[in-house]
Amino acid sequence: AAHDDSSADADASHNSPPLVGGMPAIVAQFLEANNLTPLRVVIRGPPLSFADELAAATAAAYSLPLLTPTTLLSDWIHKLPEELRRELGVEAQDGEDPAATFKGLGE
């Protein structure tokens, strides 16, 4: 009896790992199948409450990005055209981060 290899190939391709480009779809499918929703957390506190340290430790423990007013401003400023950065007075000095002008703002 002749063995049909086409069904074996179909099974192998069905069980093969997905390509990396398909990862967002796989994550979305997993979240939906398990009735999960992404979690966002804001950690706030009065001065000297160590909220910044708690937020940094939480982000590190769960391998999550830490978003602070300074990091958000820095990202935004880097996307501005150079002329507008000059107008706002946030030009980088000798390789300095242009957002350094805003360090401590809102933190």
Side-chain angles (χ1 to χ4, degrees):
H3 180 67
D4 182 12
D5 285 335
S6 63
S7 65
D9 290 341
D11 287 342
S13 67
H14 178 69
N15 294 326
S16 64
L19 297 175
V20 174
M23 189 56 74
I26 292 168
V27 170
Q29 185 180 26
F30 176 82
L31 293 173
E32 184 178 331
N34 292 290
N35 198 27
L36 299 173
T37 56
L39 178 65
R40 292 177 179 89
V41 177
V42 175
I43 299 176
R44 294 187 52 193
L48 303 175
S49 68
F50 299 100
D52 293 344
E53 289 80 1
L54 177 60
T58 302
Y62 291 98
S63 301
L64 299 170
L66 175 63
L67 303 177
T68 65
T70 302
T71 60
L72 293 172
L73 264 174
S74 179
D75 184 50
W76 176 76
I77 287 171
H78 285 292
K79 293 176 183 175
L80 289 176
E82 188 175 334
E83 184 178 322
L84 184 56
R85 286 197 311 254
R86 254 195 318 272
E87 254 182 68
L88 293 172
V90 289
E91 288 184 273
Q93 302 292 322
D94 300 324
E96 177 186 56
D97 179 1
T101 305
F102 296 105
K103 291 284 187 224
L105 177 67
E107 291 185 354

